[in-house]
Amino acid sequence: MSHDFLEAQELLKNISSSQSTYEINEALKTIKRHNEELFLQTLNSLDTFTLANVATITPEYILEDILEYLSITKIAQAVGELESDDATDLIKRFEELNPQKTLTILNRLSSEDKEEILRLKNYDENTAGAYMQTEIFTAFLDESIEKAIKRYRILKKSEKIDQIFQIYITDENGKLCNSINLSDLLLWDFKLSFADIIKENDKKYQSYSVKDHDDIQMAIDMVEDYDLSVLAVVNDEGILLGRITYDDIHDLIQDNATEQIYNLAGVDKEVEEESALKAAKARAFWLMINLTTSLISANIISLFSGEIEQLVALAVLMPIVASMGGNTGSQALAVTVRKLSLNEVEFKDAKKVILRESGISLLNGFIFASIMSIITFVWFKTLMLGLVIALSMLINLALAGFIGSFVPLTLKKLKIDPAVGSSVVITAITDALGFFSFLLLAKMILL
């Protein structure tokens, strides 16, 4: 037996509060790879709290096992352990795998939990409301600090509320007025009302909020710009609905970054968590595209086979032109995709973005064309060959900057993820253009 398997087995035998959900999840994945029967036994033995937290981060193939092998009652109890936002996300994931069983799970939840989940599910995926949790602690303007703390103590002991960073102050209609950090309350006389505190400190205790139908990127920007630990969510009338915590924003940023990296390479994040065979199958699609485009490049080279036979130096130098073009295109692509994903640019800004990236690429083209022409002359003692590679590099790098910015902008306009496989396609295009421009110029100038 492998050392990893034995370590995972030991960890899962003695699960304690000191162990992170990540460690437990990794141990489960290790056990599943080595012993399916033991994995299912371990899965069944998890308490509902641990199961709930593991389910929120575990890959799809383990979620499938949870749905298939665990009782509906236990799964429902686990969902009930989670805060509203995490419970909603988990139900959504279950729904994608087995809608019928998910409906049964929903019906086993308390009416309050079910209502919250269904309400949050109705929000569009990219809105702030889809990421908020409804477990918040509020106090009225005319309420005393002492009374609010007593209420909080009761709610905390009954586990109806968990982590609280701020107390939200609302009017009698539930409209958000201010927010106060819990630590700040220690500075005030508990007999005072919140109105007394805010009267002289309204600006200090202002509340930052987004509307529930605002784009989630607005919430991300606000948390980052104002260094917030929590952000209130309100409706169009300013009524407090919930909150988005920093850890959710952090996870969202990380997930988006990971997704963009995978998409650029044409890799599926979910599949990568599964078996090597499934991952290989998923990657094969883009490798097939890469093979096809490579054959196109090879065909271009074959068109100039006679010229290459006459001047062997062409075979030595042409990969350099293609490689520089590919890297330049990838740089322009990465910058453009990042700006699009952060909503820093839109299609209306296409001209500005394309001109900027093409200009940067052309500037680099001049620099490296000069360097490479000198190297070529020193290496092969042929002045015109240096001119050929310089011109080819100028053309290829300028086109690479144009293509690297134009393609993602166009895909975004067509409502296609601009990152999906773009790196593979753009590298292929710049390779083909690099070979063609270099060999055609060589034929026209040298031969």
Side-chain angles (χ1 to χ4, degrees):
M1 287 188 184
S2 72
H3 179 66
D4 288 346
F5 175 75
L6 293 174
E7 273 194 350
Q9 197 174 6
E10 188 62 32
L11 184 147
L12 293 172
K13 276 182 184 176
N14 304 288
I15 295 175
S16 66
S17 57
S18 63
Q19 284 156 346
S20 69
T21 303
Y22 170 80
E23 290 174 330
I24 297 170
N25 183 49
E26 290 301 304
L28 278 172
K29 290 195 287 186
T30 301
I31 295 290
K32 183 174 174 62
R33 283 197 300 270
H34 291 84
N35 189 323
E36 183 73 18
E37 185 179 347
L38 179 59
F39 164 75
L40 293 177
Q41 290 174 3
T42 307
L43 199 60
N44 271 289
S45 69
L46 295 178
D47 63 83
T48 54
F49 180 78
T50 303
L51 176 64
N53 286 288
V54 167
T56 60
I57 66 167
T58 205
E60 189 175 286
Y61 67 94
I62 291 183
L63 275 188
E64 289 175 345
D65 290 333
I66 290 173
L67 282 173
E68 184 174 353
Y69 296 106
L70 299 189
S71 70
I72 295 295
T73 301
K74 184 168 186 176
I75 298 173
Q77 288 173 348
V79 173
E81 294 276 4
L82 297 169
E83 292 180 327
S84 55
D85 57 336
D86 291 329
T88 304
D89 288 341
L90 184 55
I91 286 294
K92 285 180 180 177
R93 294 183 69 196
F94 281 151
E95 203 167 41
E96 290 174 0
L97 300 173
N98 192 324
Q100 191 60 45
K101 190 168 280 190
T102 304
L103 182 59
T104 308
I105 292 168
L106 270 171
N107 290 331
R108 292 287 181 91
L109 297 174
S110 69
S111 57
E112 185 181 349
D113 287 345
K114 181 180 177 181
E115 185 181 338
E116 289 289 351
I117 290 171
L118 291 176
R119 184 161 68 90
L120 293 178
K121 272 178 85 271
N122 283 331
Y123 283 105
D124 290 338
E125 186 179 354
N126 294 320
T127 60
Y131 295 91
M132 73 175 175
Q133 56 183 234
T134 55
E135 294 83 1
I136 50 178
F137 184 71
T138 61
F140 294 117
L141 277 167
D142 59 355
E143 188 176 14
S144 69
I145 298 173
E146 183 178 34
K147 186 178 177 182
I149 289 176
K150 284 180 180 178
R151 280 196 304 108
Y152 171 68
R153 192 177 295 133
I154 294 168
L155 291 171
K156 181 71 173 176
K157 285 181 178 178
S158 63
E159 297 184 347
K160 290 184 177 180
I161 204 160
D162 191 14
Q163 285 185 315
I164 293 296
F165 304 97
Q166 292 179 331
I167 292 181
Y168 290 110
I169 315 303
T170 66
D171 64 16
E172 63 276 7
N173 297 315
K175 187 174 181 179
L176 180 63
C177 300
N178 299 85
S179 61
I180 302 177
N181 291 331
L182 282 179
S183 57
D184 281 0
L185 289 183
L186 299 176
L187 304 175
W188 299 95
D189 183 347
F190 283 12
K191 300 296 182 184
L192 291 173
S193 70
F194 289 102
D196 294 330
I197 299 172
I198 291 166
K199 186 167 52 178
E200 301 296 331
N201 299 273
D202 187 63
K203 189 172 182 181
K204 180 180 179 182
Y205 296 132
Q206 67 173 310
S207 184
Y208 293 95
S209 64
V210 289
K211 292 181 180 178
D212 55 340
H213 290 291
D214 284 342
D215 194 292
I216 187 59
Q217 187 60 48
M218 187 179 296
I220 293 172
D221 293 341
M222 195 170 289
V223 167
E224 291 182 325
D225 292 345
Y226 295 101
D227 195 23
L228 305 175
S229 59
V230 64
L231 181 65
V233 181
V234 300
N235 65 12
D236 291 335
E237 288 73 44
I239 305 298
L240 181 63
L241 301 177
R243 63 176 185 169
I244 301 175
T245 55
Y246 178 80
D247 59 320
D248 292 326
I249 294 292
H250 177 269
D251 290 343
L252 191 61
I253 293 170
Q254 191 174 47
D255 287 345
N256 285 343
T258 302
E259 185 179 2
Q260 292 296 330
I261 291 169
Y262 277 134
N263 284 344
L264 282 169
V267 176
D268 189 302
K269 178 185 174 183
E270 287 289 342
V271 176
E272 289 302 308
E273 294 280 359
E274 301 192 29
S275 66
L277 180 61
K278 287 186 177 180
K281 285 181 180 179
R283 296 187 195 185
F285 172 77
W286 289 106
L287 289 174
M288 181 59 71
I289 290 178
N290 191 62
L291 175 60
T292 303
T293 53
S294 296
L295 289 171
I296 293 171
S297 295
N299 189 53
I300 290 171
I301 293 171
S302 70
L303 294 175
F304 297 93
S305 56
E307 287 76 9
I308 295 172
E309 287 177 6
Q310 291 181 55
L311 191 57
V312 178
L314 297 178
V316 176
L317 295 172
M318 64 183 184
I320 298 173
V321 178
S323 175
M324 290 295 289
N327 286 330
T328 300
S330 295
Q331 288 175 343
L333 171 67
V335 171
T336 307
V337 167
R338 179 188 177 278
K339 288 180 177 179
L340 286 169
S341 65
L342 295 177
N343 294 319
E344 291 180 4
V345 295
E346 297 178 12
F347 191 76
K348 64 181 181 180
D349 306 308
K351 183 178 178 181
K352 179 182 176 182
V353 174
I354 291 170
L355 286 175
R356 183 178 188 276
E357 291 303 323
S358 299
I360 291 171
S361 301
L362 186 60
L363 180 60
N364 278 329
F366 276 113
I367 295 169
F368 290 100
S370 302
I371 293 171
M372 201 58 217
S373 63
I374 295 169
I375 292 173
T376 302
F377 175 70
V378 172
W379 193 352
F380 295 100
K381 312 298 182 187
T382 305
L383 180 63
M384 297 308 289
L385 183 58
L387 175 63
V388 167
I389 196 167
L391 289 173
S392 178
M393 196 167 284
L394 265 176
I395 293 168
N396 200 31
L397 265 65
L399 285 173
F402 171 81
I403 294 166
S405 53
F406 176 78
V407 169
L409 283 163
T410 304
L411 290 175
K412 184 74 172 179
K413 178 66 175 177
L414 298 173
K415 300 188 184 307
I416 300 171
D417 188 341
V420 177
S422 292
S423 181
V424 177
V425 175
I426 287 171
T427 301
I429 293 172
T430 51
D431 281 353
L433 287 172
F435 291 138
F436 183 76
S437 63
F438 178 60
L439 294 172
L440 182 62
L441 285 168
K443 182 178 182 178
M444 293 169 62
I445 296 174
L446 297 174
L447 303 171

